[in-house]
Amino acid sequence: MIQHTSRLGKGYLTKKESDASDDLNSELFTLTYGALVTQLCKDYENDEEVNKQLDKMGYNIGVRLIEDFLARSSIGRCQDFRETADVIAKVAFKMYLGITPSVTNWSPAGDELSLILESNPLVDFVELPDNHSSLVYSNLLCGVLRGALEMVQMAVDVKFAQDTLRGDNVTEIRMKFIKRMEENLPAGDE
Amino acid sequence: MADEALFQFLHNEVIQYIYKSSEHGEMENGRCITKLENMGFRVGQGLIERFTKDTARFKDELDVMKFICKDFWTCVFKKQIDNLRTNHQGIYVLQDNKFRLLTQLSAGKQYLEHAPKVRKRNGGKLTCQALFIPGQLSPHEWFSLPLSLQYLAFTCGLVRGGLSNLGVKSIVTAEVSVMPACKFQVMIQKM
């Protein structure tokens, strides 16, 4: 079972001095996400299935989240993929998760990049037990990005390249631009 | 510091998932509500644990309920409970006139379109009834448990879980009066 342990160490103390209720709101999301992943692990036999399901759910959230984002951020149309990546890192991640990943490791063709997350609110208090080594705990994020970008006519492939939950130093999301899509009806729920 | 909207999106998606992954039928509806409530329970427990780390002891049961209505509700839903009533014998009714998890349902069409579909018997044939239409729900139509209950189940669990970790055992139910107002009924169980 995935456990939530109170990690009242360095990570908690170095959080920005913010409203107590803001912190709690973040924890509401984090804890709910944890409950969801726990439920999925119960429902599905293996980690791959859970990963897929998280991606699907993320996609469904992403296709709706984009409207909320565009309404609240009044960002205009991005000129290119680089600008898109910047907006994602500096505006979207900041708005929704309160963190600003850095955008690095661009491919020579400029169609692939990494988002490096120093911290990941989803994994606060989370430890992965040994029998879930291939679980991509935060896979929801990949789906969200994919779904949101699809709604602005960009087909992308998103996946985790590094994960602090699995022992890496940082969390790295690798995002690849596939193609620009025709304007058409949304694919809808998966 | 996660944005409030994120929780709402996640909450809605969790409901969709729980219902999609179940069989359709009257029994399953109850089972889904229970699953959602249990998830809320665990989250409520964890949340209250973090929240009350530095809080002084509560004087009595009423004090606990006031805390839930003011501090806890403000933290989770950015507003207080609008009205708390009790019979002073272990039953409390918490009224929220503009419950945040319902405001989307009543206002935003996008959510109505994607709201969980509920099967309803119609002259022997099973048909899909897509929407919760506020105020038109017949109490006898228990096949189609109100969508709103699905949107309240998690929160019922949240309250029950919060109370549980404050040493109060309870049963929490909810009902929608007029969207988006709703009432949570807390029945304290003697341990």
Side-chain angles (χ1 to χ4, degrees):
Chain A
M1 287 311 287
I2 289 169
Q3 302 206 354
H4 282 107
T5 60
S6 285
R7 239 195 303 148
L8 294 175
K10 202 160 54 127
Y12 198 71
L13 290 174
T14 53
K15 254 194 207 172
K16 218 172 41 149
E17 292 274 308
S18 42
D19 224 13
S21 77
D22 279 344
D23 269 351
L24 252 304
N25 222 268
S26 172
E27 302 194 7
L28 172 65
F29 177 75
T30 300
L31 290 171
T32 303
Y33 187 71
L36 169 67
V37 178
T38 305
Q39 183 66 46
L40 289 175
C41 289
K42 270 197 208 130
D43 293 343
Y44 291 98
E45 294 284 300
N46 62 67
D47 291 346
E48 268 317 303
E49 277 304 313
V50 178
N51 295 339
K52 255 195 254 173
Q53 198 57 228
L54 284 172
D55 183 75
K56 259 195 216 177
M57 293 177 73
Y59 176 86
N60 294 338
I61 290 176
V63 303
R64 297 180 180 103
L65 192 85
I66 185 72
E67 282 183 48
D68 182 79
F69 174 70
L70 292 174
R72 286 162 61 184
S73 66
S74 39
I75 296 272
R77 196 165 265 288
C78 291
Q79 295 301 317
D80 55 29
F81 196 48
R82 268 184 192 267
E83 203 184 326
T84 306
D86 269 347
V87 168
I88 290 172
K90 298 192 178 113
V91 190
F93 264 89
K94 185 96 179 93
M95 183 185 290
Y96 291 109
L97 290 173
I99 56 172
T100 309
S102 46
V103 183
T104 60
N105 282 356
W106 279 99
S107 63
D111 63 347
E112 205 172 333
L113 65 114
S114 290
L115 292 166
I116 308 280
L117 283 67
E118 297 291 322
S119 69
N120 179 1
L122 269 66
V123 308
D124 283 347
F125 329 125
V126 175
E127 284 174 9
L128 278 190
D130 294 329
N131 60 330
H132 285 287
S133 50
S134 30
L135 180 66
V136 183
Y137 184 85
S138 309
N139 215 31
L140 192 97
L141 289 183
C142 296
V144 173
L145 287 166
R146 188 166 64 86
L149 287 172
E150 189 174 300
M151 291 297 105
V152 288
Q153 281 76 54
M154 268 182 268
V156 294
D157 185 56
V158 192
K159 54 176 178 269
F160 277 87
Q162 294 190 74
D163 191 353
T164 49
L165 273 191
R166 305 210 331 223
D168 299 311
N169 287 333
V170 289
T171 297
E172 181 187 350
I173 296 177
R174 193 91 189 128
M175 199 157 73
K176 184 180 168 79
F177 178 81
I178 310 282
K179 64 174 188 205
R180 189 150 281 271
M181 298 165 73
E182 298 300 315
E183 291 231 16
N184 54 19
L185 294 172
D189 287 352
E190 291 187 345
Chain B
M1 183 184 57
D3 186 80
E4 178 194 7
L6 256 191
F7 168 70
Q8 295 193 15
F9 281 112
L10 182 66
H11 175 256
N12 292 353
E13 195 53 38
V14 167
I15 295 172
Q16 301 277 2
Y17 166 73
I18 296 280
Y19 274 83
K20 262 189 226 172
S21 59
S22 70
E23 314 275 306
H24 287 286
E26 308 93 64
M27 297 295 281
E28 279 305 314
N29 223 331
R31 223 167 278 165
C32 290
I33 301 261
T34 304
K35 267 195 197 171
L36 287 166
E37 207 268 355
N38 284 336
M39 282 180 71
F41 181 79
R42 294 181 49 145
V43 174
Q45 281 187 311
L47 212 55
I48 211 90
E49 206 179 275
R50 315 279 307 158
F51 198 20
T52 56
K53 249 186 323 122
D54 304 314
T55 316
R57 268 181 104 76
F58 293 104
K59 289 201 306 272
D60 54 25
E61 195 176 272
L62 183 59
D63 221 26
V64 173
M65 292 310 298
K66 283 190 191 163
F67 175 80
I68 297 283
C69 293
K70 296 212 281 235
D71 304 74
F72 187 68
W73 219 256
T74 302
C75 158
V76 178
F77 299 113
K78 303 287 203 235
K79 65 183 282 295
Q80 295 189 6
I81 282 284
D82 296 299
N83 196 330
L84 171 68
R85 293 202 315 275
T86 177
N87 63 357
H88 295 289
Q89 283 169 20
I91 298 192
Y92 298 84
V93 178
L94 287 64
Q95 181 159 332
D96 190 327
N97 291 329
K98 214 174 165 200
F99 188 52
R100 284 186 108 82
L101 298 181
L102 288 181
T103 50
Q104 289 167 4
L105 280 190
S106 48
K109 188 159 186 293
Q110 61 189 126
Y111 290 102
L112 288 175
E113 278 165 18
H114 294 286
K117 293 188 179 10
V118 167
R119 295 261 167 103
K120 183 178 153 190
R121 287 195 189 284
N122 192 340
K125 282 191 283 206
L126 280 178
T127 58
C128 271
Q129 175 114 336
L131 304 182
F132 171 67
I133 301 160
Q136 287 181 30
L137 226 44
S138 151
H140 304 294
E141 309 240 315
W142 70 282
F143 292 104
S144 49
L145 267 180
L147 285 178
S148 52
L149 270 197
Q150 300 162 5
Y151 281 78
L152 297 177
F154 184 87
T155 306
C156 288
L158 207 68
V159 174
R160 188 169 66 89
L163 286 172
S164 163
N165 264 19
L166 291 175
V168 177
K169 193 163 174 220
S170 63
I171 293 177
V172 183
T173 55
E175 67 178 50
V176 175
S177 27
V178 176
M179 292 275 270
C182 67
K183 293 187 191 151
F184 293 89
Q185 182 168 273
V186 179
M187 284 172 284
I188 309 290
Q189 311 284 290
K190 291 300 169 211
M191 309 246 240

